[in-house]
Amino acid sequence: MVLKLKLLLSQEIIQSRLEVGGKAYSLAFLSSNGFRVPAFSVVQLVDSDQMLPALSEIEDFINKSASRLPDAKLFAVRSSASNEDGTEHSFAGMFESVLNVSKDHLAQAVLKVFQSLHSDRIQVYSNNTQSARMNVIIQVMLNPDFSGVAFGMDPLSGRRDRYVINSVKGLGNGLVSGEVNADYFEVEKETIVAKRWVDPSSKEALGEAEILQISLVLTQLKELRGRPQDIEFCFEKGVLFLVQSRPITQLHKKLDPSGERCIWDNSNIIESYPGISSPLTFSFVSKSYKGAYTLFSKYLGVSNAVVQNNEEVFLNTLGYVNGRIYYNLKSWYLMLALLPGYRINARFMEQMMGVKEKFDLPKSESISLLKAYTEVSKVILMMIYRFAFMKRIRDRFVALLESTLEEYNALSYSEMSAHKLMNAYRQFERKLLNEWKAPLLNDLFAMISFGMLKKQCDTLQIPDFQNIHNDLLCGSQDILSVEPIHRTLAIVYQIEESDSLMALFRENSAEKIWSQLRLHPNLYPNLFASITSYLKDFGDRCMGELKLETTSYSQQPSLFIQVVQSYVRKGISKNQFNGERENEIRFKAEEAVKQATRRNPLKRIWFNAILRKTRDLVSARENLRYERTRAFGIVRKIFHAMGKLWYANHLIENEKDIFFLTKEEIFEYIEGRSTTRSIKALIELRKAEKHEYEKERVPSERFTSFGIFHHGNDFFQIPLSETQLQSLDGKLQGIGCSPGRVRARVRVIYNPEEADALNGDILVTRSTDPGWVILFPSAAGILVERGSLLSHSAIVSREMGIPCIVGISSLLKELQTGDWVEMDGANGTVFKIERP
């Protein structure tokens, strides 16, 4: 079979890079744009069907095409495969190149390059060579003084604002193959910022003029080709020639460390939004945070003008990382910096707020010290007033919340149109969600007051009470988070008093039980009344209660019946949880304080005043979190109704598909502002992404990003603190929250639905939300990887008198179900022990 060969001159290359190959196409591009390129021609194998020509065919072809070859004594014969020098794969050094080839040996060199398409190393490097085609470049061979490679970015660090140049004396084939060392230069903004020579004493190296000339070429090529380039160059008799230019590969995986730095953290917010949250939940929460903290900043004395100038700070308080919600610490730091007092005492405020990272602040908000002191004085007076009347402020907020919830709970969402549901949400947002200042203010005062209490306890130096400030907060009777447990156990007690009810709950499914109770309320009127009352008061308190996609107990009561069933079947009763232990812990701590202050009555008075205020604020903090849950419950009802309406109208395939859209996308689709008609296709894309998130590792608790967030950033960094917080001698260290020493088996649980009860095991988990409280009564102790002294698990465990430690780095890496440990909830230590 005779194969057809074709020879193209550089100026004749007008085909796509797939036809002539990446290298030839780039050389033609360089030449046509005024860059010096050694003269070349391209041998094409036309309609080869993957067959290679014989040596004799190539010899005949070259002899007939001699007039179209470059005029030279020696040639460089190089590959130009259709898949070479691409953005994903460069095939650098994979194909053959033959240098210093005379005319008599051109045919052999051309055949050798053709054959390299099918070499073993190519098969290993890439699996996509089956459809590739090879072209061969015949180019004038230069006799360079210097050769080298240069990158239009730093290929190691990823910095886009820095160029890297390597050069050697003579030919650069040894440099490309890695056989010889090269002189090294870095250029940034037309300035050489780093130099490293193989032989510092040698004067035979590129000069500053040549280095800056290469730098200019890199800049020009980046502008022309739209991407940073990897080039090979030669200097012959002082003239710069380019012999190759290709895009730097895998650029989408290389982050730019010179880009804007952000730090992301979910150590606290994971308690509210554990695991993967839906796009709808994130869009709602993100907007809620923006509105709440915009108003709160104004409440703390930040002027309207400053807030408006920094709108993007409030807009970016949260991030969405592989489906999980994170705090953007840079935005929180900048919000802190906007407060009037920051100009006076930045370090103190950073320490008070627990800020560990520093960021560059906007200079536009800098004010004089005199103005800063004036503004701070106003804020201090205002905050003292609000601190004194915090209860009145909370009561006004709760009254507004109660009246608003009563109004919106009375609405029939199933009968509303899409526009009415949308407007109901917007009115609810304006009326209540934008009035969330009181809970935020209470949080701030609770944090300050708790810190003051701890400091006062430290000054007393009471022996054998390492965390006495925690012990003093045990036994509060006014925290709503514990009330669902009491009410549930009371329902269990009612069931235990009746043989027929015990049989009903032991022998039937939760769905059947609820159906029978609902259809025959007079059969067990007291029990039915207790359950319906519970659902009315606490129907929104469930696992993932702040996620809109969560189905609450009030929406599906059989879920609550399952909880009651688990208590009945495991024999968990109110006798196991009578509050005596936490009252004893509190009493002992109070007696210790009395003894420590017996000779200083003024100090005792001051201490008790701080203690009373801290108890009030911490209890209110937890209770107001439940009010947030109730408010979010209204939003959940609105969007659940929206999902049912869209499903009924064939807009989506499942009523829960609505949660794969953002709030803005839903409203835009309703109002005619959507940029896509294919809402189902968008939902399928989001479902596929969620599936990927579920298969991937969980992102780190804290990590740093640079530049474009989804561009080469590593979400799985292990921060230094994670290893630094590990204790020595095989023990783990966390934050002791509720005292008590326990030896028991651990059970690792990622979702509370995985277990009905713990049967005396120690609960080990990544984070908890209020819905986890159903497992607490059956736990011997609680170990949580995330959290702080004021997190939900810490507060509720203190109330229930269950030993608890939070903030244990690498907990889930160190422990697995079945391990035995000894935990000390007072000092925060966990030891792995042998099974008794």
Side-chain angles (χ1 to χ4, degrees):
M1 178 180 179
V2 178
L3 300 176
K4 183 178 179 182
L5 294 167
K6 183 178 180 181
L7 189 72
L8 295 173
L9 302 180
S10 61
Q11 60 269 28
E12 295 173 344
I13 296 176
I14 58 174
Q15 299 106 313
S16 71
R17 68 181 306 276
L18 291 177
E19 294 182 16
V20 298
K23 192 175 296 179
Y25 187 81
S26 291
L27 290 174
F29 177 86
L30 293 172
S31 181
S32 65
N33 280 278
F35 298 96
R36 286 190 178 88
V37 175
F40 70 97
S41 301
V42 179
V43 179
Q44 276 189 305
L45 191 57
V46 182
D47 300 327
S48 68
D49 206 19
Q50 301 301 318
M51 293 185 63
L52 295 178
L55 178 60
S56 58
E57 291 180 293
I58 299 175
E59 288 175 339
D60 290 342
F61 174 76
I62 288 177
N63 288 332
K64 292 176 182 178
S65 307
S67 61
R68 291 172 60 81
L69 292 174
D71 183 17
K73 292 181 179 180
L74 296 175
F75 301 90
V77 181
R78 312 168 67 199
S79 63
S80 183
S82 57
N83 54 0
E84 191 174 2
D85 291 353
T87 57
E88 294 292 322
H89 298 91
S90 67
F91 287 87
M94 292 292 107
F95 301 116
E96 289 289 345
S97 290
V98 188
L99 305 180
N100 292 309
V101 180
S102 64
K103 283 187 178 181
D104 295 338
H105 295 88
L106 270 178
Q108 293 94 322
V110 169
L111 179 60
K112 188 175 183 179
V113 174
F114 272 130
Q115 291 172 335
S116 67
L117 179 65
H118 305 290
S119 66
D120 291 341
R121 64 187 180 190
I122 295 301
Q123 300 304 319
V124 173
Y125 179 80
S126 174
N127 293 322
N128 65 350
T129 58
Q130 297 302 315
S131 60
R133 52 186 295 172
M134 178 63 77
N135 304 277
V136 180
I137 298 169
I138 299 176
Q139 192 169 25
V140 170
M141 185 73 206
L142 298 178
N143 184 25
D145 304 310
F146 298 99
S147 303
V149 295
F151 298 89
M153 58 169 280
D154 186 335
L156 295 180
S157 72
R159 287 187 59 170
R160 272 45 170 193
D161 60 347
R162 182 165 290 193
Y163 301 155
V164 173
I165 301 168
N166 291 270
S167 69
V168 296
K169 193 173 185 300
L171 282 173
N173 53 317
L175 170 61
V176 175
S177 67
E179 296 174 2
V180 299
N181 294 325
D183 295 334
Y184 177 89
F185 310 97
E186 292 183 11
V187 180
E188 184 178 338
K189 298 178 181 178
E190 300 181 9
T191 301
I192 302 171
V193 295
K195 301 177 184 179
R196 190 166 62 245
W197 291 276
V198 174
D199 181 3
S201 64
S202 173
K203 296 182 179 179
E204 296 180 340
L206 285 182
E208 183 175 338
E210 287 86 359
I211 294 170
L212 294 180
Q213 187 179 0
I214 296 167
S215 173
L216 177 61
V217 166
L218 289 170
T219 300
Q220 292 170 336
L221 285 174
K222 183 178 179 180
E223 293 174 355
L224 281 170
R225 310 209 74 170
R227 291 173 174 169
Q229 297 291 299
D230 160 9
I231 68 171
E232 294 180 19
F233 63 87
C234 296
F235 278 96
E236 186 180 64
K237 297 178 181 179
V239 178
L240 173 62
F241 289 88
L242 300 186
V243 295
Q244 185 164 299
S245 175
R246 60 189 173 206
I248 296 174
T249 57
Q250 302 294 309
L251 197 60
H252 65 289
K253 296 180 180 178
K254 291 184 172 72
L255 65 84
D256 182 4
S258 61
E260 183 170 309
R261 178 175 70 106
C262 286
I263 295 176
W264 306 86
D265 187 291
N266 77 338
S267 56
N268 290 323
I269 200 169
I270 192 174
E271 188 175 271
S272 298
Y273 302 97
I276 295 172
S277 297
S278 70
L280 181 55
T281 289
F282 175 72
S283 64
F284 163 67
V285 174
S286 186
K287 175 72 181 299
S288 299
Y289 270 67
K290 175 185 179 293
Y293 282 96
T294 296
L295 290 170
F296 189 54
S297 294
K298 294 178 181 178
Y299 210 52
L300 295 179
V302 181
S303 67
N304 287 330
V306 171
V307 168
Q308 290 173 3
N309 290 339
N310 293 276
E311 184 179 7
E312 70 284 352
V313 171
F314 299 94
L315 187 63
N316 290 288
T317 55
L318 301 179
Y320 197 56
V321 183
N322 290 6
R324 294 164 174 86
I325 299 178
Y326 276 67
Y327 284 131
N328 179 343
L329 293 191
K330 178 172 185 177
S331 287
W332 291 92
Y333 182 83
L334 294 178
M335 273 198 290
L336 173 66
L338 296 178
L339 298 178
Y342 187 85
R343 174 73 173 86
I344 299 171
N345 199 338
R347 300 290 82 82
F348 169 76
M349 293 187 69
E350 288 164 0
Q351 291 172 11
M352 184 188 74
M353 299 296 288
V355 173
K356 299 177 182 178
E357 307 292 342
K358 307 296 187 296
F359 296 93
D360 294 330
L361 300 176
K363 296 180 180 178
S364 59
E365 305 308 338
S366 178
I367 60 175
S368 67
L369 277 176
L370 178 61
K371 186 175 181 181
Y373 275 111
T374 302
E375 292 185 355
V376 167
S377 299
K378 293 178 182 177
V379 171
I380 289 174
L381 292 174
M382 180 175 59
M383 295 303 285
I384 291 173
Y385 169 80
R386 287 169 178 161
F387 184 79
F389 292 95
M390 188 65 237
K391 186 178 184 304
R392 184 182 299 177
I393 295 171
R394 288 199 309 259
D395 290 344
R396 283 202 302 265
F397 169 77
V398 171
L400 171 65
L401 181 135
E402 290 292 348
S403 63
T404 304
L405 293 184
E406 183 178 0
E407 174 189 350
Y408 278 82
N409 277 320
L411 298 177
S412 181
Y413 298 108
S414 61
E415 298 176 4
M416 291 185 178
S417 66
H419 277 85
K420 287 184 177 179
L421 286 169
M422 178 179 64
N423 291 332
Y425 168 81
R426 286 173 171 167
Q427 291 166 8
F428 185 74
E429 182 180 70
R430 285 192 292 267
K431 191 167 187 178
L432 186 60
L433 298 181
N434 288 340
E435 294 297 327
W436 217 260
K437 298 184 292 291
L440 296 176
L441 190 63
N442 189 89
D443 276 1
L444 176 63
F445 288 147
M447 180 182 63
I448 295 172
S449 184
F450 186 80
M452 292 173 65
L453 176 64
K454 185 178 185 304
K455 188 173 181 179
Q456 289 295 314
C457 289
D458 290 342
T459 61
L460 295 179
Q461 297 181 335
I462 302 174
D464 302 324
F465 283 88
Q466 186 172 353
N467 288 311
I468 193 170
H469 56 290
N470 289 335
D471 300 354
L472 289 166
L473 297 180
C474 282
S476 296
Q477 302 300 315
D478 56 352
I479 292 185
L480 280 173
S481 292
V482 185
E483 183 63 19
I485 285 290
H486 289 293
R487 297 271 291 272
T488 303
L489 292 175
I491 291 171
V492 171
Y493 179 75
Q494 286 182 260
I495 296 169
E496 290 174 338
E497 292 295 298
S498 167
D499 292 339
S500 59
L501 280 174
M502 286 292 287
L504 177 67
F505 274 77
R506 281 178 172 171
E507 298 170 6
N508 296 281
S509 67
E511 290 78 11
K512 187 174 181 179
I513 294 169
W514 175 244
S515 176
Q516 187 164 342
L517 291 175
R518 183 171 52 85
L519 294 175
H520 307 286
N522 294 326
L523 192 60
Y524 303 105
N526 293 335
L527 178 65
F528 183 72
S530 296
I531 292 175
T532 52
S533 175
Y534 180 96
L535 294 173
K536 180 177 180 295
D537 294 338
F538 298 105
D540 290 314
R541 173 124 287 182
C542 56
M543 285 79 78
E545 62 188 25
L546 296 182
K547 296 181 179 183
L548 301 183
E549 62 271 22
T550 297
T551 301
S552 68
Y553 295 158
S554 60
Q555 291 174 301
Q556 190 175 333
S558 60
L559 295 175
F560 176 64
I561 299 298
Q562 286 179 1
V563 175
V564 176
Q565 262 190 309
S566 70
Y567 281 32
V568 170
R569 288 172 175 170
K570 300 296 180 181
I572 299 172
S573 67
K574 62 181 181 180
N575 294 328
Q576 295 172 254
F577 180 46
N578 54 24
E580 291 180 2
R581 185 172 177 277
E582 61 266 32
N583 290 334
E584 180 183 352
I585 292 170
R586 176 170 174 157
F587 176 76
K588 288 181 178 179
E590 289 174 341
E591 288 298 310
V593 170
K594 287 180 183 178
Q595 286 297 316
T597 58
R598 65 186 185 278
R599 296 177 181 174
N600 193 337
L602 291 179
K603 186 167 188 175
R604 178 184 293 183
I605 292 171
W606 173 241
F607 184 95
N608 288 335
I610 294 174
L611 177 59
R612 282 194 302 273
K613 199 65 179 179
T614 303
R615 283 173 172 170
D616 173 67
L617 290 166
V618 170
S619 295
R621 179 180 186 268
E622 191 65 17
N623 294 341
L624 288 170
R625 289 183 65 178
Y626 178 61
E627 303 302 349
R628 177 180 60 172
T629 296
R630 295 173 66 200
F632 278 37
I634 296 296
V635 179
R636 180 184 293 113
K637 288 179 182 178
I638 291 172
F639 283 105
H640 269 265
M642 187 77 78
K644 289 181 178 180
L645 179 65
W646 282 35
Y647 172 71
N649 285 280
H650 302 281
L651 295 176
I652 53 181
E653 297 294 337
N654 185 293
E655 62 187 46
K656 283 212 161 190
D657 284 355
I658 198 80
F659 299 103
F660 287 97
L661 303 172
T662 67
K663 176 171 64 69
E664 292 75 20
E665 288 167 344
I666 294 168
F667 291 173
E668 288 165 0
Y669 199 80
I670 292 171
E671 295 181 312
R673 296 180 290 112
S674 175
T675 56
T676 181
R677 295 185 305 174
S678 304
I679 209 74
K680 291 182 181 179
L682 182 57
I683 289 170
E684 289 305 311
L685 172 65
R686 299 267 169 78
K687 286 182 176 180
E689 288 181 333
K690 181 176 184 286
H691 183 64
E692 291 299 315
Y693 298 153
E694 290 170 338
K695 292 193 300 182
E696 293 172 352
R697 287 187 296 137
V698 176
S700 296
E701 174 182 330
R702 176 179 288 213
F703 64 90
T704 302
S705 69
F706 295 91
I708 300 173
F709 184 72
H710 286 290
H711 185 192
N713 282 296
D714 179 11
F715 304 153
F716 307 99
Q717 303 161 15
I718 299 177
L720 290 177
S721 59
E722 191 160 301
T723 54
Q724 290 169 346
L725 285 176
Q726 296 273 355
S727 290
L728 300 177
D729 303 322
K731 70 178 180 182
L732 295 170
Q733 181 69 52
I735 304 169
C737 298
S738 181
R741 181 171 292 180
V742 176
R743 284 188 170 205
R745 193 180 80 112
V746 305
R747 181 132 33 127
V748 178
I749 296 179
Y750 293 92
N751 187 317
E753 296 175 352
E754 296 174 12
D756 293 335
L758 290 163
N759 300 325
D761 288 345
I762 294 174
L763 170 63
V764 173
T765 189
R766 177 171 282 111
S767 65
T768 65
D769 67 15
W772 284 74
V773 76
I774 62 171
L775 290 177
F776 284 15
S778 61
I782 299 167
L783 302 176
V784 187
E785 189 169 74
R786 310 285 177 86
S788 66
L789 284 169
L790 291 181
S791 63
H792 169 80
S793 52
I795 292 172
V796 175
S797 63
R798 283 196 293 267
E799 284 306 300
M800 300 174 73
I802 301 172
C804 177
I805 305 173
V806 302
I808 311 170
S809 293
S810 300
L811 175 66
L812 296 182
K813 294 179 182 178
E814 297 297 326
L815 296 182
Q816 56 186 346
T817 296
D819 289 341
W820 278 75
V821 301
E822 178 180 301
M823 63 173 288
D824 189 330
N827 59 33
T829 57
V830 183
F831 289 90
K832 288 185 72 172
I833 60 174
E834 294 295 327
R835 179 173 180 172

